[in-house]
Amino acid sequence: MRAYDIIKKKRDGGELSDGEIRAFVEGYVRGEVADHQASAFCMAVWFRGMSDAETTALTLAIRDSGERLDCSGIDGIRVDKHSTGGVGDKTSLVVAPIVASLGVKVAKMSGRGLGHTGGTVDKLEAIPGFCTMLDKQTFERIVSEVGIAIVGQSAELAPADKKLYALRDVTATVDSMPLIASSIMGKKLAADDDCIVLDVKTGSGAFMKSVDESRELARLMVEIGKRAGKKMLALITDMDRPLGRTIGNTVEVVEAIETLQGKGPEDLTALCVALATNMLYLSGKGSMDECERLVRESIASGEALRVLARMVEAQGGDADVIAHPERLARAPFARTVVAPRSGYITRVNTEDYGTAALLLGAGRKAMEDTIDPTAGIVLAVKTGDYVRAGEPIATLYASDESLFDAAERTLLAATEIEDTAPQARPLIFERVE
Ligand code: URA
């Protein structure tokens, strides 16, 4: 079947066979299917959706589009955590060292930020010298010796997703359930983990805005993973407000370190404890209560922080900044954004908060853009807090003062202040097993 016929079949609401999906993806990776055809395919999927069988076929075709990681040289259970993307989400920097400190290996491939969402690789690169591209032997050695290594996705792993994601980003087709599920699970299945905990975000800063959609996405990904022989579970967590108080790269690394020192913000700490607990539980470390106790002990004893420092050192970074985060380079300019009126912060458009950070230089509009690690936002208030007119809402950081006006306008327009306090939203909505 020609690419044209496959696009037309999906456009008209037909169900594609495994063979058709695989042929399309393979053709795209080989360059026989053009970008404009793949864009049309994504848009047809965006409108028509996919059955579970089609989504599974797309996931497996993405998985098989490149190399598959073989971690058989690493002893012990390997666990991963993957978020569907959020604003201020630095949980990987916290949970991965916690879990590794408790004897479960984390051989993690992370992404870069794109659009309004941040990425773990960009955050780690805010640490001087930290290398996110390691050859396979070095990666395996560090995981074996330290218990953890975090690298960027290699070009050889799931190349179909790399190409498709870049297209989706510029054709308004990111927020499609089958496309998100196959993108994430295609990459996860190409990596060689035993257990995967998914953090499926919901709310204004997430790709899935409603809990119902997020639940469906979680169910779909958990099922695909289980069918492929992985131990899976998902938490549906709030992204209707940024996580913690920082958005950016250096500022988020500092907040992650503070969280591992037991001094992190309440929401970030609670979510990291929940994710790490579930990762340990899935790895067979005991009951949920036992795993939570281990997680809290690892933070309290400083062991998780020591593991983070060891990983930074092993990956060529300046480990001294883990003990002295004040040594990280800071932006030369800062601007305080103040509340235009008194009242409660009733709602923030979290996606626009992410965009404000991007406008300051913390994110990239296109894949090839470089980012400014020092740019970002530190929030003074969060949803539910009371603020008086003229008091700070946030501090913006940038290397160029001309970037402040647009970011400030975006942040203020995204912040609703009213007379009555909003209803509290849960941090964790559901656990999908
Ligand atoms: N993260 C991914 O890796 N893919 C998506 O499609 C969305 C978030």
Side-chain angles (χ1 to χ4, degrees):
M1 210 178 206
R2 294 177 307 157
Y4 174 94
D5 299 315
I6 294 172
I7 298 165
K8 185 165 178 295
K9 186 168 173 187
K10 185 48 35 196
R11 184 201 69 183
D12 295 341
E15 179 163 6
L16 297 171
S17 68
D18 291 9
E20 286 164 342
I21 291 173
R22 190 164 281 267
F24 193 90
V25 170
E26 285 175 354
Y28 183 45
V29 172
R30 283 199 301 266
E32 292 156 16
V33 172
D35 277 349
H36 49 263
Q37 290 177 304
S39 304
F41 175 80
C42 289
M43 190 56 87
V45 172
W46 194 94
F47 275 107
R48 290 296 189 172
M50 277 185 150
S51 66
D52 283 9
E54 285 177 299
T55 308
T56 304
L58 183 56
T59 305
L60 299 183
I62 290 174
R63 177 195 70 181
D64 297 339
S65 65
E67 266 184 15
R68 290 179 61 181
L69 214 63
D70 171 13
C71 291
S72 51
I74 300 171
D75 279 345
I77 302 261
R78 289 175 307 280
V79 66
D80 195 5
K81 181 229 63 140
H82 192 90
S83 149
T84 55
V87 177
D89 181 3
K90 66 282 293 173
T91 54
S92 289
L93 302 182
V94 181
V95 300
I98 295 175
V99 169
S101 77
L102 294 162
V104 178
K105 301 274 174 23
V106 184
K108 190 158 177 53
M109 296 230 174
S110 285
R112 294 190 181 277
L114 204 61
H116 73 279
T117 65
T120 302
V121 166
D122 293 329
K123 298 183 217 287
L124 283 168
E125 286 179 354
I127 299 171
F130 192 93
C131 178
T132 55
M133 286 317 234
L134 301 176
D135 61 64
K136 189 173 178 300
Q137 285 77 12
T138 311
F139 180 64
E140 280 193 13
R141 179 181 55 74
I142 296 175
V143 177
S144 297
E145 288 173 11
V146 184
I148 174 177
I150 306 181
V151 291
Q153 190 191 322
S154 76
E156 294 79 34
L157 196 98
D161 178 61
K162 267 216 161 121
K163 289 186 81 177
L164 282 172
Y165 197 90
L167 272 194
R168 288 166 57 210
D169 194 46
V170 291
T171 55
T173 50
V174 171
D175 54 346
S176 149
M177 203 168 306
L179 295 180
I180 295 177
S182 55
S183 160
I184 292 178
M185 292 310 297
K187 287 187 289 256
K188 293 291 110 179
L189 297 186
D192 191 15
D193 291 301
D194 306 297
C195 318
I196 304 167
V197 171
L198 298 167
D199 180 4
V200 180
K201 304 287 189 192
T202 194
S204 60
F207 292 121
M208 295 289 116
K209 308 289 182 204
S210 76
V211 177
D212 283 349
E213 286 173 316
S214 303
R215 182 185 303 116
E216 180 55 18
L217 177 61
R219 180 201 64 76
L220 192 56
M221 292 195 290
V222 165
E223 259 177 34
I224 291 172
K226 278 189 171 171
R227 256 185 256 133
K230 308 283 175 189
K231 287 173 118 182
M232 301 284 307
L233 64 78
L235 299 184
I236 299 174
T237 74
D238 192 32
M239 192 29 73
D240 212 43
R241 54 200 149 157
L243 192 56
R245 289 193 175 268
T246 58
I247 309 167
N249 295 290
T250 298
V251 288
E252 290 199 37
V253 170
V254 174
E255 194 173 48
I257 293 170
E258 286 167 358
T259 305
L260 285 172
Q261 289 170 334
K263 301 185 298 196
E266 210 179 300
D267 60 346
L268 177 62
T269 304
L271 183 56
C272 289
V273 168
L275 288 168
T277 300
N278 277 286
M279 288 165 82
L280 288 180
Y281 171 78
L282 211 54
S283 314
K285 278 286 187 182
S287 68
M288 286 291 285
D289 284 349
E290 282 160 358
C291 291
E292 181 172 340
R293 182 181 55 74
L294 290 171
V295 167
R296 291 191 186 279
E297 272 174 19
S298 164
I299 299 174
S301 68
E303 190 49 28
L305 191 66
R306 284 190 282 279
V307 168
L308 177 65
R310 284 204 284 277
M311 178 190 83
V312 168
E313 187 172 12
Q315 293 193 230
D318 178 0
D320 202 39
V321 300
I322 303 301
H324 301 284
E326 68 283 356
R327 286 194 43 227
L328 284 166
R330 298 305 168 101
F333 301 106
R335 177 184 290 184
T336 305
V337 179
V338 299
R341 56 160 288 187
S342 301
Y344 291 95
I345 311 287
T346 49
R347 196 175 169 272
V348 299
N349 183 321
T350 310
E351 178 167 343
D352 290 348
Y353 269 46
T355 304
L358 185 150
L359 292 172
L360 293 168
R364 49 176 79 72
K365 295 182 192 100
M367 211 57 189
E368 59 281 1
D369 290 352
T370 51
I371 58 161
D372 173 3
T374 67
I377 302 175
V378 176
L379 302 172
V381 286
K382 300 231 319 176
T383 308
D385 290 345
Y386 187 84
V387 65
R388 284 179 210 289
E391 281 180 354
I393 293 180
T395 307
L396 312 182
Y397 294 95
S399 297
D400 174 353
E401 282 183 289
S402 71
L403 300 175
F404 282 139
D405 286 350
E408 178 170 6
R409 268 196 310 276
T410 305
L411 196 86
L412 282 172
T415 310
E416 289 175 22
I417 305 179
E418 287 170 316
D419 293 334
T420 43
Q423 269 202 335
R425 262 171 81 92
L427 177 66
I428 299 171
F429 287 84
E430 273 169 45
R431 183 166 180 262
V432 179
E433 273 197 82

Short mmCIF file of all heavy atoms in Angstrom, two decimals, residues 266-301:
data_model
loop_
_atom_site.label_atom_id
_atom_site.label_comp_id
_atom_site.label_asym_id
_atom_site.label_seq_id
_atom_site.Cartn_x
_atom_site.Cartn_y
_atom_site.Cartn_z
N GLU A 266 6.71 21.59 49.47
CA GLU A 266 5.85 20.47 49.90
C GLU A 266 5.35 19.61 48.73
O GLU A 266 5.43 18.39 48.77
CB GLU A 266 4.64 21.09 50.60
CG GLU A 266 4.04 20.23 51.68
CD GLU A 266 2.86 20.97 52.30
OE1 GLU A 266 3.06 22.08 52.84
OE2 GLU A 266 1.76 20.43 52.20
N ASP A 267 4.86 20.27 47.66
CA ASP A 267 4.27 19.50 46.56
C ASP A 267 5.34 18.65 45.86
O ASP A 267 5.14 17.46 45.60
CB ASP A 267 3.51 20.39 45.57
CG ASP A 267 4.37 21.47 44.91
OD1 ASP A 267 5.49 21.73 45.39
OD2 ASP A 267 3.91 22.08 43.91
N LEU A 268 6.50 19.27 45.61
CA LEU A 268 7.56 18.53 44.92
C LEU A 268 8.04 17.35 45.78
O LEU A 268 8.20 16.23 45.29
CB LEU A 268 8.73 19.49 44.61
CG LEU A 268 9.95 18.85 43.97
CD1 LEU A 268 9.61 18.24 42.62
CD2 LEU A 268 11.08 19.87 43.81
N THR A 269 8.22 17.62 47.07
CA THR A 269 8.68 16.55 47.96
C THR A 269 7.66 15.40 47.98
O THR A 269 8.03 14.22 47.84
CB THR A 269 8.89 17.10 49.38
OG1 THR A 269 9.82 18.18 49.31
CG2 THR A 269 9.43 16.04 50.33
N ALA A 270 6.38 15.76 48.12
CA ALA A 270 5.35 14.71 48.21
C ALA A 270 5.31 13.88 46.93
O ALA A 270 5.20 12.65 46.97
CB ALA A 270 3.99 15.35 48.48
N LEU A 271 5.41 14.54 45.78
CA LEU A 271 5.34 13.78 44.52
C LEU A 271 6.58 12.90 44.36
O LEU A 271 6.48 11.75 43.93
CB LEU A 271 5.18 14.73 43.32
CG LEU A 271 5.03 14.02 41.97
CD1 LEU A 271 3.86 13.02 41.98
CD2 LEU A 271 4.84 15.01 40.84
N CYS A 272 7.74 13.44 44.71
CA CYS A 272 8.98 12.64 44.58
C CYS A 272 8.92 11.42 45.49
O CYS A 272 9.32 10.31 45.09
CB CYS A 272 10.21 13.49 44.90
SG CYS A 272 10.54 14.71 43.61
N VAL A 273 8.43 11.61 46.70
CA VAL A 273 8.31 10.47 47.63
C VAL A 273 7.36 9.43 47.03
O VAL A 273 7.65 8.22 47.02
CB VAL A 273 7.85 10.93 49.03
CG1 VAL A 273 7.46 9.73 49.91
CG2 VAL A 273 8.96 11.75 49.71
N ALA A 274 6.24 9.89 46.47
CA ALA A 274 5.26 8.94 45.91
C ALA A 274 5.85 8.20 44.71
O ALA A 274 5.70 6.98 44.59
CB ALA A 274 3.99 9.69 45.50
N LEU A 275 6.53 8.92 43.83
CA LEU A 275 7.09 8.27 42.63
C LEU A 275 8.17 7.27 43.02
O LEU A 275 8.19 6.13 42.53
CB LEU A 275 7.66 9.32 41.67
CG LEU A 275 6.63 10.18 40.92
CD1 LEU A 275 7.30 11.38 40.25
CD2 LEU A 275 5.87 9.35 39.88
N ALA A 276 9.07 7.70 43.90
CA ALA A 276 10.17 6.81 44.31
C ALA A 276 9.61 5.57 45.03
O ALA A 276 10.07 4.44 44.82
CB ALA A 276 11.16 7.55 45.19
N THR A 277 8.60 5.79 45.86
CA THR A 277 7.96 4.67 46.58
C THR A 277 7.40 3.66 45.58
O THR A 277 7.61 2.44 45.70
CB THR A 277 6.84 5.19 47.50
OG1 THR A 277 7.42 6.10 48.44
CG2 THR A 277 6.13 4.07 48.23
N ASN A 278 6.71 4.17 44.56
CA ASN A 278 6.11 3.27 43.58
C ASN A 278 7.17 2.56 42.74
O ASN A 278 7.01 1.41 42.36
CB ASN A 278 5.13 4.04 42.69
CG ASN A 278 3.77 4.17 43.35
OD1 ASN A 278 3.00 3.21 43.42
ND2 ASN A 278 3.47 5.34 43.90
N MET A 279 8.27 3.26 42.47
CA MET A 279 9.35 2.61 41.70
C MET A 279 9.95 1.46 42.50
O MET A 279 10.21 0.38 41.98
CB MET A 279 10.44 3.65 41.37
CG MET A 279 10.01 4.64 40.30
SD MET A 279 11.10 6.09 40.24
CE MET A 279 12.46 5.49 39.24
N LEU A 280 10.16 1.69 43.80
CA LEU A 280 10.72 0.62 44.64
C LEU A 280 9.74 -0.53 44.78
O LEU A 280 10.12 -1.71 44.71
CB LEU A 280 11.04 1.17 46.03
CG LEU A 280 12.23 2.11 46.16
CD1 LEU A 280 12.37 2.54 47.61
CD2 LEU A 280 13.52 1.43 45.69
N TYR A 281 8.47 -0.18 44.97
CA TYR A 281 7.43 -1.19 45.13
C TYR A 281 7.39 -2.10 43.89
O TYR A 281 7.37 -3.33 43.99
CB TYR A 281 6.08 -0.49 45.36
CG TYR A 281 4.91 -1.41 45.32
CD1 TYR A 281 4.60 -2.23 46.42
CD2 TYR A 281 4.10 -1.49 44.19
CE1 TYR A 281 3.51 -3.09 46.37
CE2 TYR A 281 3.01 -2.35 44.14
CZ TYR A 281 2.72 -3.15 45.24
OH TYR A 281 1.66 -4.00 45.18
N LEU A 282 7.39 -1.46 42.72
CA LEU A 282 7.33 -2.22 41.47
C LEU A 282 8.57 -3.10 41.30
O LEU A 282 8.52 -4.17 40.71
CB LEU A 282 7.24 -1.22 40.30
CG LEU A 282 6.48 -1.65 39.06
CD1 LEU A 282 5.07 -2.12 39.38
CD2 LEU A 282 6.43 -0.51 38.04
N SER A 283 9.69 -2.65 41.88
CA SER A 283 10.94 -3.42 41.77
C SER A 283 11.01 -4.53 42.81
O SER A 283 12.04 -5.21 42.92
CB SER A 283 12.15 -2.51 41.98
OG SER A 283 12.02 -1.35 41.24
N GLY A 284 9.94 -4.66 43.62
CA GLY A 284 9.89 -5.76 44.58
C GLY A 284 10.64 -5.51 45.87
O GLY A 284 11.10 -6.43 46.53
N LYS A 285 10.75 -4.23 46.28
CA LYS A 285 11.50 -3.90 47.50
C LYS A 285 10.65 -3.99 48.76
O LYS A 285 11.14 -3.65 49.85
CB LYS A 285 12.07 -2.48 47.38
CG LYS A 285 13.36 -2.42 46.60
CD LYS A 285 14.49 -2.97 47.45
CE LYS A 285 15.85 -2.81 46.86
NZ LYS A 285 16.89 -3.39 47.70
N GLY A 286 9.40 -4.38 48.63
CA GLY A 286 8.56 -4.51 49.82
C GLY A 286 7.20 -3.89 49.62
O GLY A 286 6.82 -3.53 48.49
N SER A 287 6.46 -3.77 50.74
CA SER A 287 5.11 -3.18 50.66
C SER A 287 5.25 -1.68 50.40
O SER A 287 6.34 -1.11 50.54
CB SER A 287 4.37 -3.41 51.97
OG SER A 287 5.01 -2.63 52.98
N MET A 288 4.15 -1.05 50.05
CA MET A 288 4.19 0.41 49.80
C MET A 288 4.67 1.13 51.06
O MET A 288 5.48 2.06 50.96
CB MET A 288 2.79 0.91 49.40
CG MET A 288 2.38 0.54 48.00
SD MET A 288 3.34 1.42 46.74
CE MET A 288 2.61 3.03 46.83
N ASP A 289 4.21 0.69 52.23
CA ASP A 289 4.63 1.37 53.47
C ASP A 289 6.13 1.22 53.70
O ASP A 289 6.82 2.17 54.05
CB ASP A 289 3.87 0.78 54.68
CG ASP A 289 2.44 1.29 54.72
OD1 ASP A 289 2.13 2.23 53.96
OD2 ASP A 289 1.63 0.73 55.50
N GLU A 290 6.62 0.00 53.49
CA GLU A 290 8.07 -0.23 53.68
C GLU A 290 8.89 0.62 52.69
O GLU A 290 9.90 1.22 53.06
CB GLU A 290 8.41 -1.71 53.47
CG GLU A 290 8.05 -2.59 54.65
CD GLU A 290 7.93 -4.07 54.27
OE1 GLU A 290 8.09 -4.42 53.08
OE2 GLU A 290 7.65 -4.87 55.17
N CYS A 291 8.40 0.66 51.44
CA CYS A 291 9.13 1.41 50.42
C CYS A 291 9.13 2.90 50.76
O CYS A 291 10.15 3.57 50.62
CB CYS A 291 8.53 1.17 49.04
SG CYS A 291 8.82 -0.52 48.45
N GLU A 292 8.01 3.40 51.25
CA GLU A 292 7.96 4.83 51.59
C GLU A 292 8.93 5.14 52.74
O GLU A 292 9.62 6.16 52.73
CB GLU A 292 6.53 5.26 51.95
CG GLU A 292 6.50 6.74 52.28
CD GLU A 292 5.12 7.34 52.49
OE1 GLU A 292 4.13 6.75 52.02
OE2 GLU A 292 5.05 8.40 53.13
N ARG A 293 8.99 4.22 53.70
CA ARG A 293 9.91 4.43 54.82
C ARG A 293 11.36 4.47 54.31
O ARG A 293 12.15 5.35 54.68
CB ARG A 293 9.73 3.30 55.86
CG ARG A 293 10.59 3.45 57.11
CD ARG A 293 10.38 2.31 58.09
NE ARG A 293 10.59 0.98 57.51
CZ ARG A 293 11.78 0.45 57.22
NH1 ARG A 293 12.88 1.12 57.45
NH2 ARG A 293 11.88 -0.76 56.69
N LEU A 294 11.70 3.56 53.40
CA LEU A 294 13.06 3.54 52.84
C LEU A 294 13.38 4.85 52.12
O LEU A 294 14.47 5.41 52.24
CB LEU A 294 13.21 2.37 51.85
CG LEU A 294 13.20 0.97 52.45
CD1 LEU A 294 13.13 -0.08 51.34
CD2 LEU A 294 14.46 0.74 53.29
N VAL A 295 12.39 5.33 51.37
CA VAL A 295 12.58 6.57 50.60
C VAL A 295 12.85 7.74 51.55
O VAL A 295 13.80 8.51 51.36
CB VAL A 295 11.32 6.85 49.73
CG1 VAL A 295 11.34 8.27 49.17
CG2 VAL A 295 11.23 5.84 48.60
N ARG A 296 12.03 7.83 52.59
CA ARG A 296 12.19 8.96 53.52
C ARG A 296 13.54 8.87 54.24
O ARG A 296 14.21 9.87 54.47
CB ARG A 296 11.02 9.02 54.51
CG ARG A 296 9.72 9.41 53.83
CD ARG A 296 8.61 9.74 54.82
NE ARG A 296 7.35 9.97 54.10
CZ ARG A 296 7.02 11.11 53.50
NH1 ARG A 296 7.83 12.14 53.55
NH2 ARG A 296 5.86 11.23 52.87
N GLU A 297 13.95 7.65 54.57
CA GLU A 297 15.25 7.47 55.24
C GLU A 297 16.41 7.87 54.33
O GLU A 297 17.39 8.46 54.77
CB GLU A 297 15.44 5.99 55.63
CG GLU A 297 14.86 5.68 57.00
CD GLU A 297 14.92 4.18 57.28
OE1 GLU A 297 15.70 3.44 56.64
OE2 GLU A 297 14.13 3.77 58.16
N SER A 298 16.26 7.54 53.04
CA SER A 298 17.34 7.85 52.09
C SER A 298 17.52 9.37 51.97
O SER A 298 18.65 9.86 51.83
CB SER A 298 17.03 7.23 50.73
OG SER A 298 17.82 7.79 49.74
N ILE A 299 16.41 10.10 52.05
CA ILE A 299 16.51 11.57 52.00
C ILE A 299 17.11 12.06 53.33
O ILE A 299 18.07 12.84 53.36
CB ILE A 299 15.13 12.23 51.75
CG1 ILE A 299 14.56 11.77 50.41
CG2 ILE A 299 15.25 13.76 51.81
CD1 ILE A 299 13.15 12.25 50.11
N ALA A 300 16.54 11.57 54.43
CA ALA A 300 16.95 12.08 55.75
C ALA A 300 18.43 11.80 56.04
O ALA A 300 19.13 12.63 56.64
CB ALA A 300 16.07 11.46 56.84
N SER A 301 18.93 10.67 55.57
CA SER A 301 20.33 10.32 55.87
C SER A 301 21.31 11.02 54.94
O SER A 301 22.52 10.98 55.15
CB SER A 301 20.52 8.80 55.72
OG SER A 301 20.38 8.46 54.34
#
